[in-house]
Amino acid sequence: NAGVTQTPKFQVLKTGQSMTLQCAQDMNHEYMSWYRQDPGMGLRLIHYSVGAGITDQGEVPNGYNVSRSTTEDFPLRLLSAAPSQTSVYFCASRGIDYTFGSGTRLTVV
Amino acid sequence: AQSVTQLGSHVSVSEGALVLLRCNYSSSVPPYLFWYVQYPNQGLQLLLKYTSAATLVKGINDFEAEFKKSETSFHLTKPSAHMSDAAEYFCAVSESNGNKLVFGAGTILRVKS
């Protein structure tokens, strides 16, 4: 089925570890974005991309890196995880409307 | 910069009662406005959107919202609440090109039997 696929669904990291959250879409959408969701704060934009090779920062970019080498993929990298990055992460792509992935629940201990 | 304020982090209604979830926005340009619903441990589902056409927008599951420019509001309503409406609801605003969707803090709707 067409949509946005996020992997993994759950992850536990130790402080200082690195990891990449994967996001892939098969709808040929140019625009993709990453959000983090924290209780009482809604979803906050981390990074976004308007097409392959083009990325930009959102509201809370510190501690996260992104790249966009293909239209389909938009991975989010945590270079040195911190407890403050414990959150639920959502990837979204946009054609006419936004399509959200099912999320990655990340815990940093 | 665009921003969204949702009034009331928790709203409780009885089954069959009117649902009213409040949203006010701030935008320096004509906005696109959205309401999303999130059920526990799931992603977000679009309920409805305003993109400068009709000010009264109808969405799925009998939800509707009215864009009021003078009040900078986009409140969500449903005439009769169902138990299945219990979820968290997010109001959001984007630039006129649809980029950089900005969310409110969310309102958790509880439906009492």
Side-chain angles (χ1 to χ4, degrees):
Chain A
N1 292 335
V4 177
T5 302
Q6 290 185 239
T7 56
K9 293 189 182 301
F10 301 93
Q11 183 71 49
V12 178
L13 286 180
K14 293 182 179 179
T15 297
Q17 285 185 318
S18 64
M19 79 160 296
T20 299
L21 280 64
Q22 301 292 346
C23 176
Q25 54 96 2
D26 57 2
M27 298 170 284
N28 204 32
H29 290 165
E30 293 293 333
Y31 185 88
M32 297 184 72
S33 53
W34 276 102
Y35 289 86
R36 60 177 289 172
Q37 183 179 18
D38 302 292
M41 304 189 73
L43 282 80
R44 291 179 292 168
L45 182 63
I46 305 172
H47 286 285
Y48 66 98
S49 170
V50 298
I54 306 169
T55 64
D56 206 347
Q57 296 180 351
E59 179 185 359
V60 288
N62 292 339
Y64 307 96
N65 283 347
V66 293
S67 60
R68 185 93 178 271
S69 57
T70 67
T71 299
E72 295 78 17
D73 299 300
F74 190 43
L76 179 71
R77 298 183 185 85
L78 286 69
L79 297 180
S80 179
S84 60
Q85 294 178 304
T86 294
S87 188
V88 181
Y89 291 85
F90 287 98
C91 179
S93 70
R94 182 177 64 81
I96 295 174
D97 291 323
Y98 279 82
T99 300
F100 286 83
S102 57
T104 295
R105 188 173 296 273
L106 175 67
T107 301
V108 182
V109 298
Chain B
Q2 296 166 306
S3 65
V4 172
T5 301
Q6 291 184 239
L7 301 177
S9 59
H10 292 77
V11 170
S12 182
V13 301
S14 297
E15 192 172 20
L18 171 72
V19 175
L20 171 61
L21 304 182
R22 300 179 186 273
C23 172
N24 288 89
Y25 70 91
S26 172
S27 177
S28 58
V29 297
Y32 284 8
L33 293 159
F34 307 81
W35 275 100
Y36 286 87
V37 61
Q38 184 181 37
Y39 298 100
N41 299 314
Q42 294 188 24
L44 277 73
Q45 179 183 2
L46 180 66
L47 280 176
L48 49 81
K49 64 180 181 181
Y50 166 79
T51 57
S52 74
T55 57
L56 182 63
V57 181
K58 295 186 181 298
I60 62 173
N61 299 336
D62 295 326
F63 281 97
E64 64 180 38
E66 186 173 8
F67 172 69
K68 291 187 177 181
K69 184 178 179 180
S70 61
E71 300 177 5
T72 61
S73 69
F74 190 59
H75 302 332
L76 182 71
T77 61
K78 180 173 180 176
S80 176
H82 294 190
M83 296 298 291
S84 59
D85 294 326
E88 189 164 17
Y89 292 79
F90 293 95
C91 182
V93 61
S94 76
E95 301 174 346
S96 57
N97 60 8
N99 290 350
K100 298 181 70 174
L101 194 61
V102 175
F103 287 86
T107 297
I108 295 173
L109 176 65
R110 179 191 172 203
V111 181
K112 299 175 292 185
S113 59

